[in-house]
Amino acid sequence: MKKYLFLFVLLSVIVACKQNTSSLGTGDTTAVAQSEDKGLAVSPNENASLIEAFQHKKSNLFVEGSGVVKKLLPDDNKGSRHQKFLVTISDAQILLFAHNIDLAKAVPIAVGDMVQFRGEYVYNPKGGVVHWTHHDPQSKIEGGWIKHNGQIYQ
């Protein structure tokens, strides 16, 4: 049942995105598609840098994007603890998230939830990994974050 609900939500988001992008004027690139379930604004080109990084096998890039939580995985409790989950960002790309929960609060997500994020992308053939979704404890770099239901976790 959860699988069908997730597919329904995912298809609804895709249809909404296609409807909004097809109604754009030729020079209008500022319109956004919006998920009715969570009220999260998603720019049609928001994940372009992630898709390009995957296609060109690039790594160690800080990126921003958004997507739908596909699957929750068990936390990794070896060494620094990490919350792990999969996020679909396009028809062809799913990201594995490794969110450090020793440095940031865990994100209270569920399958089908929309999230926005900033983090470091590392290529792998399955779609890539995003980590550094937290503040830098040494304040040397900007660090990253995950936004869910209007709350930022960093």
Side-chain angles (χ1 to χ4, degrees), residues 59-87:
S59 286
N60 306 319
L61 306 168
F62 267 87
V63 295
E64 291 187 24
S66 65
V68 178
V69 177
K70 177 184 172 108
K71 185 175 184 179
L72 303 178
L73 302 171
D75 289 349
D76 179 358
N77 292 315
K78 296 176 184 167
S80 296
R81 298 176 308 131
H82 287 80
Q83 178 182 16
K84 296 174 77 176
F85 53 95
L86 302 176
V87 172

PDB file of all heavy atoms in Angstrom, residues 59-87:
ATOM      1  N   SER A  59      32.588  14.611  -8.863  1.00  0.00           N
ATOM      2  CA  SER A  59      32.469  14.399  -7.417  1.00  0.00           C
ATOM      3  C   SER A  59      32.990  15.606  -6.663  1.00  0.00           C
ATOM      4  O   SER A  59      33.651  16.479  -7.226  1.00  0.00           O
ATOM      5  CB  SER A  59      33.277  13.175  -6.987  1.00  0.00           C
ATOM      6  OG  SER A  59      32.642  11.992  -7.385  1.00  0.00           O
ATOM      7  N   ASN A  60      32.692  15.609  -5.363  1.00  0.00           N
ATOM      8  CA  ASN A  60      33.188  16.626  -4.428  1.00  0.00           C
ATOM      9  C   ASN A  60      32.713  18.027  -4.800  1.00  0.00           C
ATOM     10  O   ASN A  60      33.470  18.988  -4.698  1.00  0.00           O
ATOM     11  CB  ASN A  60      34.712  16.559  -4.322  1.00  0.00           C
ATOM     12  CG  ASN A  60      35.187  15.166  -3.972  1.00  0.00           C
ATOM     13  OD1 ASN A  60      34.591  14.492  -3.145  1.00  0.00           O
ATOM     14  ND2 ASN A  60      36.238  14.721  -4.620  1.00  0.00           N
ATOM     15  N   LEU A  61      31.451  18.126  -5.197  1.00  0.00           N
ATOM     16  CA  LEU A  61      30.831  19.401  -5.538  1.00  0.00           C
ATOM     17  C   LEU A  61      29.738  19.707  -4.534  1.00  0.00           C
ATOM     18  O   LEU A  61      28.916  18.847  -4.230  1.00  0.00           O
ATOM     19  CB  LEU A  61      30.171  19.330  -6.920  1.00  0.00           C
ATOM     20  CG  LEU A  61      30.996  18.867  -8.101  1.00  0.00           C
ATOM     21  CD1 LEU A  61      30.076  18.587  -9.280  1.00  0.00           C
ATOM     22  CD2 LEU A  61      32.002  19.932  -8.456  1.00  0.00           C
ATOM     23  N   PHE A  62      29.699  20.941  -4.027  1.00  0.00           N
ATOM     24  CA  PHE A  62      28.560  21.335  -3.211  1.00  0.00           C
ATOM     25  C   PHE A  62      27.423  21.700  -4.146  1.00  0.00           C
ATOM     26  O   PHE A  62      27.609  22.470  -5.095  1.00  0.00           O
ATOM     27  CB  PHE A  62      28.906  22.490  -2.270  1.00  0.00           C
ATOM     28  CG  PHE A  62      29.358  22.003  -0.932  1.00  0.00           C
ATOM     29  CD1 PHE A  62      30.686  21.700  -0.704  1.00  0.00           C
ATOM     30  CD2 PHE A  62      28.446  21.800   0.093  1.00  0.00           C
ATOM     31  CE1 PHE A  62      31.108  21.230   0.527  1.00  0.00           C
ATOM     32  CE2 PHE A  62      28.854  21.328   1.328  1.00  0.00           C
ATOM     33  CZ  PHE A  62      30.187  21.043   1.544  1.00  0.00           C
ATOM     34  N   VAL A  63      26.266  21.097  -3.905  1.00  0.00           N
ATOM     35  CA  VAL A  63      25.103  21.278  -4.775  1.00  0.00           C
ATOM     36  C   VAL A  63      23.867  21.554  -3.926  1.00  0.00           C
ATOM     37  O   VAL A  63      23.839  21.254  -2.732  1.00  0.00           O
ATOM     38  CB  VAL A  63      24.862  20.023  -5.650  1.00  0.00           C
ATOM     39  CG1 VAL A  63      26.001  19.800  -6.634  1.00  0.00           C
ATOM     40  CG2 VAL A  63      24.667  18.787  -4.779  1.00  0.00           C
ATOM     41  N   GLU A  64      22.875  22.124  -4.569  1.00  0.00           N
ATOM     42  CA  GLU A  64      21.561  22.297  -3.948  1.00  0.00           C
ATOM     43  C   GLU A  64      20.540  21.658  -4.856  1.00  0.00           C
ATOM     44  O   GLU A  64      20.716  21.618  -6.075  1.00  0.00           O
ATOM     45  CB  GLU A  64      21.245  23.776  -3.746  1.00  0.00           C
ATOM     46  CG  GLU A  64      22.100  24.427  -2.695  1.00  0.00           C
ATOM     47  CD  GLU A  64      21.668  25.841  -2.371  1.00  0.00           C
ATOM     48  OE1 GLU A  64      20.488  26.193  -2.579  1.00  0.00           O
ATOM     49  OE2 GLU A  64      22.535  26.608  -1.913  1.00  0.00           O
ATOM     50  N   GLY A  65      19.470  21.157  -4.262  1.00  0.00           N
ATOM     51  CA  GLY A  65      18.421  20.537  -5.052  1.00  0.00           C
ATOM     52  C   GLY A  65      17.233  20.172  -4.193  1.00  0.00           C
ATOM     53  O   GLY A  65      17.128  20.586  -3.036  1.00  0.00           O
ATOM     54  N   SER A  66      16.359  19.372  -4.778  1.00  0.00           N
ATOM     55  CA  SER A  66      15.177  18.903  -4.053  1.00  0.00           C
ATOM     56  C   SER A  66      14.719  17.593  -4.652  1.00  0.00           C
ATOM     57  O   SER A  66      15.095  17.231  -5.769  1.00  0.00           O
ATOM     58  CB  SER A  66      14.060  19.943  -4.132  1.00  0.00           C
ATOM     59  OG  SER A  66      13.630  20.078  -5.475  1.00  0.00           O
ATOM     60  N   GLY A  67      13.908  16.883  -3.891  1.00  0.00           N
ATOM     61  CA  GLY A  67      13.387  15.615  -4.373  1.00  0.00           C
ATOM     62  C   GLY A  67      12.416  14.999  -3.399  1.00  0.00           C
ATOM     63  O   GLY A  67      12.054  15.599  -2.378  1.00  0.00           O
ATOM     64  N   VAL A  68      12.007  13.788  -3.739  1.00  0.00           N
ATOM     65  CA  VAL A  68      11.023  13.035  -2.958  1.00  0.00           C
ATOM     66  C   VAL A  68      11.719  11.871  -2.266  1.00  0.00           C
ATOM     67  O   VAL A  68      12.473  11.122  -2.902  1.00  0.00           O
ATOM     68  CB  VAL A  68       9.902  12.499  -3.880  1.00  0.00           C
ATOM     69  CG1 VAL A  68       8.897  11.669  -3.094  1.00  0.00           C
ATOM     70  CG2 VAL A  68       9.205  13.638  -4.595  1.00  0.00           C
ATOM     71  N   VAL A  69      11.482  11.728  -0.977  1.00  0.00           N
ATOM     72  CA  VAL A  69      12.071  10.621  -0.224  1.00  0.00           C
ATOM     73  C   VAL A  69      11.497   9.317  -0.756  1.00  0.00           C
ATOM     74  O   VAL A  69      10.285   9.116  -0.767  1.00  0.00           O
ATOM     75  CB  VAL A  69      11.801  10.756   1.292  1.00  0.00           C
ATOM     76  CG1 VAL A  69      12.353   9.552   2.052  1.00  0.00           C
ATOM     77  CG2 VAL A  69      12.384  12.051   1.831  1.00  0.00           C
ATOM     78  N   LYS A  70      12.393   8.456  -1.225  1.00  0.00           N
ATOM     79  CA  LYS A  70      11.984   7.167  -1.811  1.00  0.00           C
ATOM     80  C   LYS A  70      12.009   6.042  -0.787  1.00  0.00           C
ATOM     81  O   LYS A  70      11.144   5.190  -0.759  1.00  0.00           O
ATOM     82  CB  LYS A  70      12.900   6.820  -2.978  1.00  0.00           C
ATOM     83  CG  LYS A  70      12.609   5.465  -3.600  1.00  0.00           C
ATOM     84  CD  LYS A  70      13.598   5.134  -4.694  1.00  0.00           C
ATOM     85  CE  LYS A  70      13.394   3.716  -5.154  1.00  0.00           C
ATOM     86  NZ  LYS A  70      12.800   3.641  -6.466  1.00  0.00           N
ATOM     87  N   LYS A  71      13.064   6.033   0.058  1.00  0.00           N
ATOM     88  CA  LYS A  71      13.221   4.927   0.999  1.00  0.00           C
ATOM     89  C   LYS A  71      14.028   5.386   2.203  1.00  0.00           C
ATOM     90  O   LYS A  71      15.007   6.109   2.064  1.00  0.00           O
ATOM     91  CB  LYS A  71      13.935   3.759   0.311  1.00  0.00           C
ATOM     92  CG  LYS A  71      14.052   2.517   1.144  1.00  0.00           C
ATOM     93  CD  LYS A  71      14.657   1.370   0.351  1.00  0.00           C
ATOM     94  CE  LYS A  71      14.677   0.100   1.184  1.00  0.00           C
ATOM     95  NZ  LYS A  71      15.233  -1.031   0.433  1.00  0.00           N
ATOM     96  N   LEU A  72      13.625   4.933   3.383  1.00  0.00           N
ATOM     97  CA  LEU A  72      14.390   5.162   4.613  1.00  0.00           C
ATOM     98  C   LEU A  72      15.262   3.942   4.854  1.00  0.00           C
ATOM     99  O   LEU A  72      14.788   2.808   4.745  1.00  0.00           O
ATOM    100  CB  LEU A  72      13.447   5.380   5.791  1.00  0.00           C
ATOM    101  CG  LEU A  72      12.444   6.524   5.655  1.00  0.00           C
ATOM    102  CD1 LEU A  72      11.537   6.586   6.877  1.00  0.00           C
ATOM    103  CD2 LEU A  72      13.147   7.839   5.427  1.00  0.00           C
ATOM    104  N   LEU A  73      16.514   4.166   5.162  1.00  0.00           N
ATOM    105  CA  LEU A  73      17.460   3.090   5.419  1.00  0.00           C
ATOM    106  C   LEU A  73      17.856   3.105   6.887  1.00  0.00           C
ATOM    107  O   LEU A  73      17.721   4.133   7.562  1.00  0.00           O
ATOM    108  CB  LEU A  73      18.703   3.277   4.536  1.00  0.00           C
ATOM    109  CG  LEU A  73      18.432   3.331   3.034  1.00  0.00           C
ATOM    110  CD1 LEU A  73      19.688   3.748   2.283  1.00  0.00           C
ATOM    111  CD2 LEU A  73      17.919   2.001   2.537  1.00  0.00           C
ATOM    112  N   PRO A  74      18.384   2.007   7.390  1.00  0.00           N
ATOM    113  CA  PRO A  74      18.843   2.011   8.789  1.00  0.00           C
ATOM    114  C   PRO A  74      19.969   3.025   8.982  1.00  0.00           C
ATOM    115  O   PRO A  74      20.797   3.223   8.085  1.00  0.00           O
ATOM    116  CB  PRO A  74      19.363   0.586   9.010  1.00  0.00           C
ATOM    117  CG  PRO A  74      18.765  -0.237   7.919  1.00  0.00           C
ATOM    118  CD  PRO A  74      18.546   0.691   6.763  1.00  0.00           C
ATOM    119  N   ASP A  75      19.984   3.662  10.154  1.00  0.00           N
ATOM    120  CA  ASP A  75      21.069   4.591  10.473  1.00  0.00           C
ATOM    121  C   ASP A  75      22.392   3.834  10.490  1.00  0.00           C
ATOM    122  O   ASP A  75      22.456   2.664  10.871  1.00  0.00           O
ATOM    123  CB  ASP A  75      20.853   5.235  11.849  1.00  0.00           C
ATOM    124  CG  ASP A  75      19.704   6.231  11.859  1.00  0.00           C
ATOM    125  OD1 ASP A  75      19.202   6.580  10.777  1.00  0.00           O
ATOM    126  OD2 ASP A  75      19.326   6.657  12.966  1.00  0.00           O
ATOM    127  N   ASP A  76      23.447   4.517  10.082  1.00  0.00           N
ATOM    128  CA  ASP A  76      24.802   3.983  10.168  1.00  0.00           C
ATOM    129  C   ASP A  76      25.362   4.462  11.502  1.00  0.00           C
ATOM    130  O   ASP A  76      25.566   5.659  11.701  1.00  0.00           O
ATOM    131  CB  ASP A  76      25.635   4.507   9.003  1.00  0.00           C
ATOM    132  CG  ASP A  76      27.072   4.023   9.037  1.00  0.00           C
ATOM    133  OD1 ASP A  76      27.458   3.304   9.989  1.00  0.00           O
ATOM    134  OD2 ASP A  76      27.819   4.375   8.108  1.00  0.00           O
ATOM    135  N   ASN A  77      25.585   3.548  12.430  1.00  0.00           N
ATOM    136  CA  ASN A  77      26.045   3.908  13.774  1.00  0.00           C
ATOM    137  C   ASN A  77      27.514   3.600  14.009  1.00  0.00           C
ATOM    138  O   ASN A  77      27.980   3.667  15.137  1.00  0.00           O
ATOM    139  CB  ASN A  77      25.184   3.204  14.822  1.00  0.00           C
ATOM    140  CG  ASN A  77      23.768   3.733  14.817  1.00  0.00           C
ATOM    141  OD1 ASN A  77      23.548   4.942  14.774  1.00  0.00           O
ATOM    142  ND2 ASN A  77      22.796   2.836  14.818  1.00  0.00           N
ATOM    143  N   LYS A  78      28.251   3.288  12.938  1.00  0.00           N
ATOM    144  CA  LYS A  78      29.686   3.030  13.067  1.00  0.00           C
ATOM    145  C   LYS A  78      30.426   4.344  12.894  1.00  0.00           C
ATOM    146  O   LYS A  78      30.236   5.044  11.907  1.00  0.00           O
ATOM    147  CB  LYS A  78      30.144   2.036  12.007  1.00  0.00           C
ATOM    148  CG  LYS A  78      29.510   0.667  12.169  1.00  0.00           C
ATOM    149  CD  LYS A  78      29.914  -0.268  11.056  1.00  0.00           C
ATOM    150  CE  LYS A  78      29.180  -1.584  11.211  1.00  0.00           C
ATOM    151  NZ  LYS A  78      29.296  -2.406  10.016  1.00  0.00           N
ATOM    152  N   GLY A  79      31.269   4.701  13.866  1.00  0.00           N
ATOM    153  CA  GLY A  79      31.964   5.988  13.810  1.00  0.00           C
ATOM    154  C   GLY A  79      30.953   7.105  14.014  1.00  0.00           C
ATOM    155  O   GLY A  79      30.077   7.018  14.874  1.00  0.00           O
ATOM    156  N   SER A  80      31.063   8.166  13.207  1.00  0.00           N
ATOM    157  CA  SER A  80      30.049   9.237  13.259  1.00  0.00           C
ATOM    158  C   SER A  80      28.725   8.663  12.774  1.00  0.00           C
ATOM    159  O   SER A  80      28.669   8.010  11.735  1.00  0.00           O
ATOM    160  CB  SER A  80      30.463  10.403  12.354  1.00  0.00           C
ATOM    161  OG  SER A  80      31.641  10.997  12.817  1.00  0.00           O
ATOM    162  N   ARG A  81      27.668   8.926  13.538  1.00  0.00           N
ATOM    163  CA  ARG A  81      26.366   8.363  13.187  1.00  0.00           C
ATOM    164  C   ARG A  81      25.742   9.139  12.019  1.00  0.00           C
ATOM    165  O   ARG A  81      25.813  10.366  11.992  1.00  0.00           O
ATOM    166  CB  ARG A  81      25.428   8.387  14.386  1.00  0.00           C
ATOM    167  CG  ARG A  81      25.934   7.545  15.545  1.00  0.00           C
ATOM    168  CD  ARG A  81      25.049   7.649  16.768  1.00  0.00           C
ATOM    169  NE  ARG A  81      24.833   9.044  17.127  1.00  0.00           N
ATOM    170  CZ  ARG A  81      23.625   9.577  17.376  1.00  0.00           C
ATOM    171  NH1 ARG A  81      22.542   8.832  17.340  1.00  0.00           N
ATOM    172  NH2 ARG A  81      23.516  10.852  17.697  1.00  0.00           N
ATOM    173  N   HIS A  82      25.143   8.421  11.077  1.00  0.00           N
ATOM    174  CA  HIS A  82      24.515   9.043   9.919  1.00  0.00           C
ATOM    175  C   HIS A  82      23.112   8.488   9.686  1.00  0.00           C
ATOM    176  O   HIS A  82      22.915   7.278   9.704  1.00  0.00           O
ATOM    177  CB  HIS A  82      25.351   8.805   8.655  1.00  0.00           C
ATOM    178  CG  HIS A  82      26.608   9.604   8.619  1.00  0.00           C
ATOM    179  ND1 HIS A  82      27.739   9.235   9.310  1.00  0.00           N
ATOM    180  CD2 HIS A  82      26.901  10.761   7.980  1.00  0.00           C
ATOM    181  CE1 HIS A  82      28.691  10.124   9.091  1.00  0.00           C
ATOM    182  NE2 HIS A  82      28.207  11.073   8.291  1.00  0.00           N
ATOM    183  N   GLN A  83      22.175   9.390   9.476  1.00  0.00           N
ATOM    184  CA  GLN A  83      20.832   9.039   9.035  1.00  0.00           C
ATOM    185  C   GLN A  83      20.942   8.787   7.532  1.00  0.00           C
ATOM    186  O   GLN A  83      21.507   9.600   6.791  1.00  0.00           O
ATOM    187  CB  GLN A  83      19.866  10.194   9.311  1.00  0.00           C
ATOM    188  CG  GLN A  83      18.458   9.955   8.856  1.00  0.00           C
ATOM    189  CD  GLN A  83      17.564  11.179   9.118  1.00  0.00           C
ATOM    190  OE1 GLN A  83      18.042  12.285   9.360  1.00  0.00           O
ATOM    191  NE2 GLN A  83      16.269  10.967   9.050  1.00  0.00           N
ATOM    192  N   LYS A  84      20.414   7.671   7.048  1.00  0.00           N
ATOM    193  CA  LYS A  84      20.545   7.333   5.631  1.00  0.00           C
ATOM    194  C   LYS A  84      19.166   7.154   5.001  1.00  0.00           C
ATOM    195  O   LYS A  84      18.288   6.537   5.601  1.00  0.00           O
ATOM    196  CB  LYS A  84      21.391   6.076   5.472  1.00  0.00           C
ATOM    197  CG  LYS A  84      22.841   6.294   5.951  1.00  0.00           C
ATOM    198  CD  LYS A  84      23.653   5.037   5.936  1.00  0.00           C
ATOM    199  CE  LYS A  84      24.073   4.723   4.534  1.00  0.00           C
ATOM    200  NZ  LYS A  84      24.961   3.544   4.457  1.00  0.00           N
ATOM    201  N   PHE A  85      19.036   7.714   3.805  1.00  0.00           N
ATOM    202  CA  PHE A  85      17.785   7.588   3.064  1.00  0.00           C
ATOM    203  C   PHE A  85      18.032   7.881   1.593  1.00  0.00           C
ATOM    204  O   PHE A  85      19.057   8.452   1.223  1.00  0.00           O
ATOM    205  CB  PHE A  85      16.698   8.507   3.639  1.00  0.00           C
ATOM    206  CG  PHE A  85      17.093   9.943   3.777  1.00  0.00           C
ATOM    207  CD1 PHE A  85      16.793  10.878   2.784  1.00  0.00           C
ATOM    208  CD2 PHE A  85      17.764  10.402   4.918  1.00  0.00           C
ATOM    209  CE1 PHE A  85      17.146  12.206   2.921  1.00  0.00           C
ATOM    210  CE2 PHE A  85      18.122  11.734   5.055  1.00  0.00           C
ATOM    211  CZ  PHE A  85      17.812  12.636   4.059  1.00  0.00           C
ATOM    212  N   LEU A  86      17.089   7.468   0.749  1.00  0.00           N
ATOM    213  CA  LEU A  86      17.172   7.679  -0.689  1.00  0.00           C
ATOM    214  C   LEU A  86      16.181   8.756  -1.109  1.00  0.00           C
ATOM    215  O   LEU A  86      15.047   8.788  -0.616  1.00  0.00           O
ATOM    216  CB  LEU A  86      16.856   6.386  -1.448  1.00  0.00           C
ATOM    217  CG  LEU A  86      17.746   5.179  -1.138  1.00  0.00           C
ATOM    218  CD1 LEU A  86      17.242   3.950  -1.899  1.00  0.00           C
ATOM    219  CD2 LEU A  86      19.191   5.472  -1.486  1.00  0.00           C
ATOM    220  N   VAL A  87      16.615   9.622  -2.032  1.00  0.00           N
ATOM    221  CA  VAL A  87      15.774  10.704  -2.543  1.00  0.00           C
ATOM    222  C   VAL A  87      15.785  10.653  -4.074  1.00  0.00           C
ATOM    223  O   VAL A  87      16.856  10.645  -4.684  1.00  0.00           O
ATOM    224  CB  VAL A  87      16.267  12.085  -2.051  1.00  0.00           C
ATOM    225  CG1 VAL A  87      15.511  13.219  -2.731  1.00  0.00           C
ATOM    226  CG2 VAL A  87      16.137  12.186  -0.536  1.00  0.00           C
TER     227      VAL A  87
END
